[in-house]
């Protein structure tokens, strides 16, 4: 072995062991953070290494779909491999119908932020109760 | 030591490493860090990469599913003796930092053998 990562694992951990440890924690890709409010949903996702043209966002019924491809960095086989590669697809159920035409999405430095406004026609509708005699 | 920015949890960037005869190449995932705020430092043979993932507060919204949070990406690597730290090259794109550290060429000197 030529060099060793030393933080936070101890020095001299073989590549293979480090790689096994990385693989042993299952994690869905991409990792997401979802916020919701009365008027909109904001979803953030970590997409390191995904170029804009390799990312596809879609609203399917009540679901936001994040799909795309994590291209391998090069053709060589890495001596240490912790990063995932290949196609990914993640579906996130939305709390209410959204207006897809008004959706905003921004991907910068591998961080995606999507804002989905609540669809107006599906918002709560107030029913006026008439006073007696009106 | 009580610097507020140190309060952020430390996040460990996933890394791929490639070894060739010419160089060692590290590819680190640092999503959410603008290239101009990435920090790469070298102390003797210890190479350290740092960068902050700062997520804005979304006022009036409630956080539901949360699989990551603001934090400080950080990871160090001990470099081999045959790597030429003077010639490290760093580039970043789409939240990936690539560090290329060329190997030093072995010094070769031929020794003339005199005949009798």
């Amino acid at each position: 072995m030529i060099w060793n990562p030393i933080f936070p694992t101890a020095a001299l951990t073989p590549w293979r062991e480090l790689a096994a440890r990385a693989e042993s924690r299952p994690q869905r890709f991409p990792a997401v953070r979802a916020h919701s409010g009365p008027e909109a949903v904001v979803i953030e996702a970590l997409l390191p290494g995904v170029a804009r043209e390799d990312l596809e966002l879609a609203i399917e019924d009540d679901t936001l779909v994040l799909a795309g491809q994590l291209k391998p960095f090069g053709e060589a086989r890495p001596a240490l491999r912790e990063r995932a590669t290949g196609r990914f697809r993640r579906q996130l159920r939305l709390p209410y119908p959204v207006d897809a035409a008004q959706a905003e999405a921004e991907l910068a430095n591998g961080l995606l932020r999507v804002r989905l406004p609540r669809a107006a026609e599906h918002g709560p509708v107030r029913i006026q109760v008439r006073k007696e005699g009106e | 030591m009580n610097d507020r920015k140190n309060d952020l949890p430390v996040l460990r960037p996933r890394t791929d490493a490639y070894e060739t005869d010419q160089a060692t190449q590290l590819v680190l995932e640092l999503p959410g860090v603008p290239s101009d705020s990435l920090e790469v430092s070298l102390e003797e043979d210890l190479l350290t990469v740092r960068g902050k993932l700062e997520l804005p507060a979304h006022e009036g919204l409630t956080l539901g599913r949360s699989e990551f949070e603001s934090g400080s990406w950080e990871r160090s690597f001990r470099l081999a003796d045959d790597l030429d730290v003077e010639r490290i090259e760093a580039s970043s794109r789409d939240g990936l930092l690539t560090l290329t550290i060329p190997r030093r060429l072995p010094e070769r000197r031929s020794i003339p053998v005199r005949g009798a």
Side-chain angles (χ1 to χ4, degrees):
Chain A
M1 190 175 48
I2 309 210
W3 49 270
N4 311 285
I6 70 150
F7 181 85
T9 44
L12 301 170
T13 309
W15 285 135
R16 236 172 277 118
E17 198 187 312
L18 273 173
R21 213 174 290 167
E23 278 162 23
S24 70
R25 50 195 154 116
Q27 200 186 40
R28 275 180 289 177
F29 190 93
V32 298
R33 222 173 125 82
H35 305 76
S36 63
E39 278 147 41
V41 174
V42 174
I43 290 164
E44 291 159 319
L46 298 183
L47 290 155
V50 179
R52 209 159 300 173
E53 58 270 23
D54 294 325
L55 177 67
E56 207 180 287
L57 295 178
I59 311 268
E60 294 173 8
D61 299 324
D62 60 348
T63 304
L64 171 69
V65 182
L66 306 172
Q69 197 177 3
L70 265 174
K71 288 183 180 155
F73 183 76
E75 280 163 30
R77 215 183 129 83
L80 168 68
R81 189 206 297 266
E82 294 176 357
R83 302 189 52 232
T85 53
R87 299 206 66 86
F88 62 87
R89 183 183 167 89
R90 192 143 185 210
Q91 292 169 290
L92 300 166
R93 187 82 166 266
L94 301 170
Y96 39 71
V98 296
D99 184 351
Q102 299 296 313
E104 291 164 27
E106 189 197 357
L107 178 62
N109 305 305
L111 177 67
L112 173 75
R113 185 168 298 126
V114 187
R115 188 177 185 277
L116 305 167
R118 185 173 196 153
E121 59 268 47
H122 294 283
V125 179
R126 194 174 281 259
I127 299 163
Q128 203 70 46
V129 180
R130 274 189 295 181
K131 276 195 202 135
E132 221 179 318
E134 260 183 354
Chain B
M1 284 304 276
N2 287 325
D3 197 340
R4 270 203 57 141
K5 57 192 177 187
N6 290 339
D7 294 346
L8 287 173
V10 173
L11 310 169
R12 182 179 159 87
R14 284 171 181 254
T15 304
D16 281 357
Y18 297 87
E19 302 275 6
T20 66
D21 294 342
Q22 292 82 41
T24 282
Q25 200 165 41
L26 296 172
V27 182
L28 290 94
E29 293 185 344
L30 295 141
V33 185
S35 359
D36 54 6
S37 64
L38 275 171
E39 232 184 278
V40 182
S41 63
L42 187 73
E43 206 177 311
E44 293 182 25
D45 61 347
L46 191 66
L47 178 76
T48 302
V49 175
R50 287 194 186 90
K52 282 190 183 61
L53 169 63
E54 285 170 308
L55 300 162
H58 297 286
E59 295 213 5
L61 301 184
T62 312
L63 180 61
R65 190 186 286 275
S66 176
E67 296 169 353
F68 62 91
E69 56 182 336
S70 291
S72 182
W73 297 110
E74 183 173 328
R75 195 155 175 188
S76 296
F77 301 90
R78 180 89 59 198
L79 301 179
D81 301 342
D82 68 336
L83 294 175
D84 188 352
V85 294
E86 305 293 324
R87 288 162 55 216
I88 293 184
E89 279 177 31
S91 67
S92 94
R93 197 189 165 167
D94 299 329
L96 282 191
L97 171 69
T98 305
L99 297 169
T100 307
I101 315 145
R103 279 184 212 296
R104 233 177 259 125
L105 295 172
E107 273 180 52
R108 250 185 95 135
R109 202 184 307 168
S110 39
I111 299 154
V113 180
R114 273 188 287 183

